[in-house]
């Protein structure tokens, strides 16, 4: 299958330090990839390069075959590259319905309409109802975000991303900060993501990585040191070295 | 089942919002009527209140709804006033509706210009830019005295009767009713605007522009657009000022006027049309009453009122009252 998302030879240095060093990867529709790596491996920089918040020194980012390296972050969102945030970024005094409604309107290019209330636009509301219903947020749809639990805010982040109908979804630690009791709901939401969507998840929680990903990429010191099946990742010598004293070794000792 | 509940919810929200409109219109008409009967000899004050209310509403659009910090908003108001005045004084076009249109257009252009400059910065630098801008507008009007009358003010404005029927009388009756009509029309249009998709987009931009970008929206384009709309509203106020007082002074384009508008907005409560309106009415009534009661210390009292509001009702008088009512309702439910 043709890749929907492709990064080739991406490089970025701050001063003399190569933070992203010749990174290449490709994803096809339906891929479930986890990007892991120790702290300081360059995951955040990689995300910023891909989303267009930073521009690379060299290399290329392609979306659906089109080079988007010169296109800004907004343009990439419009072309189907959507991200969620590690710390939820929601509008505290707005409701889930308003969040998803705004995303739907934005996607359809109707967010500049200066008349009419979207609550009365049946096409928008049908989609809002459906999306929030799927994620179990229907009963909260008219509450303010500041009044709903953090786990539910996490789900809302996913709902907003999905409302934009992405082709490629970057999930930045989708379960970070969520109490253990609520992670099941989030994992369920991740399992229910559309089948043709390419998902790249950045995650620290290895249990979640193993349950979600069909492929794991390990980033260390700005370079990809492993790209393969989840089952092989803990056995890889270079990965162990990179994680010295952390998860891979710890599990061995235990 | 869930769908039924949602459409129920939707209908309730609609009813609440619709009744909000009715209450708002009724309140404006009622307060106007009370003013008309309580101050029959001072309709000029009421008309002045309406013009300033339009300025404060306009400021609320960019400051309250979009989070833009500005101390130069009178630039938009004054541009509207001068455009309407110049049309009459220099071109002899005295139709009040045409003068109003000129005011709206000039306000919108001034809004576009201000927005294009002010929105380049954020926070304190933004505030400084806005101050620089109002001084530039003021100085420009001062120097272009052959057009604006400079520091003597622009006189010779003589609006014709509205529709050829209602003459602007000495008592200010026509001006007052003209102003009330304009205020009601603007209010209803703005009610539509602030809860339209565009209004929601702007509220989002105020809270987190980066989030809006991650949703594929362009904050800059939306803010510039809001600035133009805001300029049109301020232009209505400015033109009304020129038509009703038949003179335009440099003070309509001043830093003081800008700062006072911001004070009124904070007093009533930002981010709410009712807050903007109530802040204007309360401030101007208080100013009028206290300055008559104690001409030597009235400014002291205005200062004390402001400190009290900021300390004890930081959401503004209307904002605090609305929050109180909401809490009572929730406690009962």
């Amino acid at each position: 299958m043709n890749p929907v998302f492709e990064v080739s030879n991406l490089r970025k240095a701050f001063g003399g330090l190569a933070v992203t060093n010749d990174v290449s990867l490709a994803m096809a529709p339906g891929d479930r990839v986890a990007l892991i790596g120790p702290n300081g491996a360059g995951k955040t920089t990689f995300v910023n390069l891909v989303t267009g918040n930073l521009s690379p020194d060299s290399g290329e980012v392609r979306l659906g075959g089109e080079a988007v390296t010169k296109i800004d972050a907004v343009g990439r969102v419009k072309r189907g590259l959507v991200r969620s945030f590690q710390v939820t970024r929601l509008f505290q005094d707005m409701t889930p319905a308003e969040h998803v409604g705004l995303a739907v309107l934005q996607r359809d290019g109707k967010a500049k309409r200066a008349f009419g209330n979207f609550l009365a636009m049946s096409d928008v509301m049908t989609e809002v109802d459906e999306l929030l219903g799927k994620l179990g947020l229907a009963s909260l749809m008219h509450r303010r975000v500041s009044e709903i639990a953090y786990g539910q805010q996490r789900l809302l982040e996913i709902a907003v991303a999905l409302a934009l109908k992405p082709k490629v979804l970057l999930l930045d630690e989708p379960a970070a900060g969520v109490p253990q009791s609520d992670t099941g709901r989030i994992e369920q939401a991740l399992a229910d993501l559309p089948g043709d969507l390419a998902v790249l998840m950045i995650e620290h929680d290895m249990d979640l990585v193993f349950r979600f990903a069909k492929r794991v990429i390990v980033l260390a010191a700005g370079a990809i040191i492993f790209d393969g099946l989840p089952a092989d990742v803990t056995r890889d010598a270079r990965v162990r070295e990179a994680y010295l004293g952390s998860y891979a070794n710890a599990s061995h000792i235990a | 089942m869930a769908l039924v509940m949602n459409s129920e919810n939707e209908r309730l929200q609609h009813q609440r919002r619709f009744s909000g409109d009715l209450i708002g219109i009724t309140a404006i008409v009622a307060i106007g009527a009370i003013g008309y009967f309580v101050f029959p000899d001072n309709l000029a004050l009421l008309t002045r209140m309406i013009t300033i209310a339009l300025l404060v509403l306009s400021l609320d659009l960019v400051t309250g709804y979009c989070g833009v910090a500005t101390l130069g908003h009178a630039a938009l108001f004054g541009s509207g006033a001068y455009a309407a005045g110049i049309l009459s004084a220099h071109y002899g076009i005295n139709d009040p509706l045409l003068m109003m249109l000129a005011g709206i257009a000039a306000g919108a252009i001034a809004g576009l210009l201000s927005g294009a400059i002010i929105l380049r910065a954020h926070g304190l630098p933004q505030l400084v830019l806005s101050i620089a801008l109002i001084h530039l507008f003021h100085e420009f009007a001062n120097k272009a005295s052959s057009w604006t009358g400079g520091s003597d003010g622009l006189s010779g404005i003589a609006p014709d009767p509205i529709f050829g029927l209602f003459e602007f009388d000495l008592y200010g009756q026509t001006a007052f009713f003209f102003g009330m009509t304009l205020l009601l029309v603007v209010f209803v249009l703005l009610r539509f605007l602030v809860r339209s998709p565009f209004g929601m987009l702007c509220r989002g931009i105020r809270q987190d522009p980066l989030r809006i970008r991650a949703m594929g929206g362009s904050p800059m384009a939306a803010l510039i657009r809001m600035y133009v709309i805001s300029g049109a509203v301020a232009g209505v106020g400015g033109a009304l000022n020129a038509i009703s007082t038949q003179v335009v002074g440099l003070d309509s384009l001043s830093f003081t006027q800008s700062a006072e508008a911001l004070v009124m907005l904070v007093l009533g409560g930002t981010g709410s049309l009712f807050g903007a309106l109530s802040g204007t009415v309360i401030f101007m009534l208080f100013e009028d009453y206290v300055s008559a009661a104690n001409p030597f210390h009235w400014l002291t009292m205005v200062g004390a009122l402001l400190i009290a509001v900021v300390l004890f009702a930081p959401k503004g008088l209307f904002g605090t009252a609305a929050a109180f009512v909401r809490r009572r309702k929730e406690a009962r439910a």
Side-chain angles (χ1 to χ4, degrees), chain B residues 37-60:
Chain B
F37 290 112
V38 174
F39 304 102
D41 317 322
N42 206 353
L43 290 180
L45 171 69
L46 297 181
T47 310
R48 169 106 188 124
M49 250 184 216
I50 295 171
T51 62
I52 300 301
L54 287 162
L55 169 62
V56 178
L57 279 174
S58 152
L59 178 64
D60 199 15

Side-chain angles (χ1 to χ4, degrees), chain A residues 72-74 77-78 85 89 91-94 98-99 102-103 105-106 110-121 125 129 138 141-142 144 157 160 164, chain B residues 2-3 6 9-10 13-14 17 189 192-193 195-201 203-208 210-218 221-222 225 326 330:
Chain A
D72 72 350
V74 175
V77 174
K78 287 184 176 149
F85 291 90
R89 300 185 78 134
F91 310 116
Q92 292 300 312
D93 68 347
M94 287 197 201
E98 285 175 322
H99 279 84
L102 188 55
L105 289 161
Q106 188 68 58
K110 293 182 194 157
K112 287 192 171 171
R113 277 201 197 167
F115 280 89
N117 184 340
F118 83 96
L119 289 170
M121 300 177 189
M125 277 316 283
D129 278 341
M141 67 190 293
H142 295 300
R144 284 158 180 253
E157 273 274 344
V160 170
L164 296 167
Chain B
L3 273 176
N6 286 337
N9 249 333
E10 220 173 284
Q13 285 226 340
H14 262 293
R17 284 181 162 159
L189 289 178
F192 277 115
L193 179 76
R195 58 200 173 160
S196 69
F198 178 66
M200 201 162 62
L201 178 67
R203 276 199 291 150
I205 291 170
R206 188 195 68 209
Q207 293 182 51
D208 190 348
L210 197 78
R211 189 72 184 88
I212 292 292
R213 285 174 62 83
M215 288 163 97
S218 162
R225 185 159 178 239
R326 198 182 319 128
E330 271 166 20

Side-chain angles (χ1 to χ4, degrees), chain B residues 20-161:
Chain B
D21 281 350
L22 278 185
I23 292 170
I25 292 168
T26 315
I28 294 174
V29 172
I31 289 171
I34 292 170
Y36 182 77
F37 290 112
V38 174
F39 304 102
D41 317 322
N42 206 353
L43 290 180
L45 171 69
L46 297 181
T47 310
R48 169 106 188 124
M49 250 184 216
I50 295 171
T51 62
I52 300 301
L54 287 162
L55 169 62
V56 178
L57 279 174
S58 152
L59 178 64
D60 199 15
L61 290 183
V62 295
T63 301
Y65 286 94
C66 297
V68 176
T70 168
L71 273 168
H73 211 66
L76 285 57
F77 177 83
S79 301
Y82 274 110
I86 287 170
L87 201 66
S88 171
H90 289 289
Y91 293 98
I93 298 173
N94 296 322
D95 181 352
L97 297 181
L98 284 179
M99 290 167 70
M100 184 55 63
L101 277 181
I104 293 172
I109 293 168
L112 180 66
L113 194 67
S114 301
I117 293 170
I118 289 175
L119 295 172
R120 302 229 155 252
H122 296 281
L124 272 181
Q126 186 170 61
L127 205 61
V128 172
L129 273 183
S130 74
I131 295 172
L133 206 67
I134 187 68
H135 284 309
L136 283 175
F137 269 82
H138 187 271
E139 204 41 36
F140 180 74
N142 189 22
K143 286 286 172 346
S145 55
S146 59
W147 284 96
T148 62
S151 52
D152 295 335
L154 175 67
S155 52
I157 302 168
D160 287 339

